[in-house]
Amino acid sequence: MSDPGEGQNLRTFAAKMVFISIILSVLVSCVVIAIAGFFNVLPLPLLEALVHSVIMAWIVGGIVTGVMCSVIGKAIRKLHASHAEFERLSKTDTLSGLANRRAFNQCFDEVENDASLAIFDLDRFKGINDNHGHAAGDIVIKRAAAAIEDVFGEFHCVARLGGEEFAVIVRGGKRKDRLILIELARIRVSCLTINFNGTQLQTTVSVGVADIEPSRSKHDTFASADKALYLAKASGRNCVCHEEELQLSQAVDQLKSTLLAAS
């Protein structure tokens, strides 16, 4: 989609070029006519020659410069469109069509609060690749990516980090609302049935969630979500674990260790 401001700038540029071209043409014509008049080689009276010169400068100069500006304007618009397309592709994962890690990191840096980071990891994905080949694995990734993106839409940042791992920055609302949305995405993936060469493939995802807060770094937030993901895997897969559950699990483990040491 073209930028209205850019179009206005191009029209202004064209108008200036036409005006400058005409003024220069008139000045050059006047100089030539003055020289011709000095040597008495003008076919017309001096005043009449000047009038014809001005008229022709406006007509010819305006047409030529207008055409040139139109050609240059089209070239600039094509260059701008090519640059925009290159920028889009540089931020897009080629397999899934989602944002890639570069775009995700940029989005992550812009979010300060009222958001959660959810890391999705396909369960037992290696078995799909080993048993059915990488072509099957690619189809599963595409279908899972589409299901996750369909739940979150464009308002939230949905990215493929690599392999079978996805990340979503869920913006706005209360934490419970964000967790409901994440749980819905998990269910959508688990309901997928993928036909590959006559074989029905299914997959699930484990999800780790951490809240994005100004008080801690992006690195620590990602680490917390990653640990919550490991807990989801250890809890039987196909579930969502928030970082608070990780803290509770660690507290329980510490209590068990303390009781065992005291007995």
Side-chain angles (χ1 to χ4, degrees):
M1 184 179 294
S2 61
D3 184 0
E6 179 190 4
Q8 181 62 38
N9 290 337
L10 286 174
R11 286 189 291 271
T12 302
F13 169 76
K16 287 181 179 178
M17 292 301 296
V18 170
F19 181 75
I20 292 173
S21 175
I22 292 172
I23 294 300
L24 290 176
S25 298
V26 169
L27 291 176
V28 171
S29 298
C30 289
V31 171
V32 171
I33 290 172
I35 294 173
F38 178 79
F39 290 103
N40 294 318
V41 293
L42 277 176
L44 298 172
L46 179 62
L47 181 59
E48 189 176 346
L50 288 174
V51 171
H52 279 82
S53 174
V54 171
I55 293 174
M56 291 305 296
W58 275 94
I59 294 174
V60 176
I63 292 175
V64 172
T65 308
V67 170
M68 291 181 61
C69 287
S70 177
V71 172
I72 294 172
K74 288 181 180 179
I76 291 174
R77 283 192 292 271
K78 286 183 179 179
L79 182 62
H80 179 78
S82 297
H83 180 269
E85 179 65 10
F86 174 78
E87 184 69 15
R88 185 189 68 81
L89 291 175
S90 71
K91 294 182 179 182
T92 303
D93 176 66
T94 54
L95 177 61
S96 66
L98 300 177
N100 60 15
R101 184 178 285 272
R102 176 192 173 195
F104 168 78
N105 288 337
Q106 181 178 341
C107 183
F108 200 5
D109 289 338
E110 294 171 354
V111 178
E112 293 296 333
N113 50 25
D114 292 330
S116 296
L117 168 64
I119 301 178
F120 292 71
D121 191 88
L122 296 180
D123 297 323
R124 298 183 176 89
F125 182 74
K126 185 176 182 300
I128 294 175
N129 276 337
D130 291 344
N131 296 326
H132 304 281
H134 289 282
D138 288 349
I139 292 175
V140 170
I141 286 175
K142 290 179 183 178
R143 291 289 302 278
I148 295 171
E149 185 179 34
D150 188 52
V151 171
F152 292 102
E154 296 182 358
F155 179 71
H156 310 282
C157 178
V158 185
R160 180 183 176 222
L161 300 183
E164 67 273 25
E165 191 172 69
F166 306 89
V168 182
I169 297 176
V170 192
R171 298 186 177 102
K174 297 180 180 179
R175 178 200 291 174
K176 64 177 183 179
D177 298 323
R178 299 195 293 266
L179 286 174
I180 289 173
L181 206 58
I182 295 167
E183 177 67 17
L184 178 59
R186 181 199 66 77
I187 295 172
R188 287 289 297 274
V189 174
S190 67
C191 291
L192 289 176
T193 299
I194 302 161
N195 190 320
F196 179 76
N197 292 339
T199 302
Q200 300 297 317
L201 303 178
Q202 289 186 303
T203 187
T204 58
V205 284
S206 298
V207 191
V209 184
D211 294 327
I212 299 174
E213 300 171 349
S215 59
R216 63 177 175 181
S217 68
K218 306 299 184 185
H219 178 271
D220 290 342
T221 303
F222 197 95
S224 293
D226 214 27
K227 291 177 182 177
L229 173 62
Y230 290 142
L231 178 60
K233 293 283 189 182
S235 301
R237 299 182 177 86
N238 192 24
C239 62
V240 177
C241 285
H242 188 270
E243 60 181 330
E244 285 190 348
E245 298 176 58
L246 176 64
Q247 296 168 2
L248 178 61
S249 176
Q250 291 173 341
V252 170
D253 290 341
Q254 185 176 4
L255 179 59
K256 288 181 179 178
S257 300
T258 303
L259 292 176
L260 288 174
S263 61

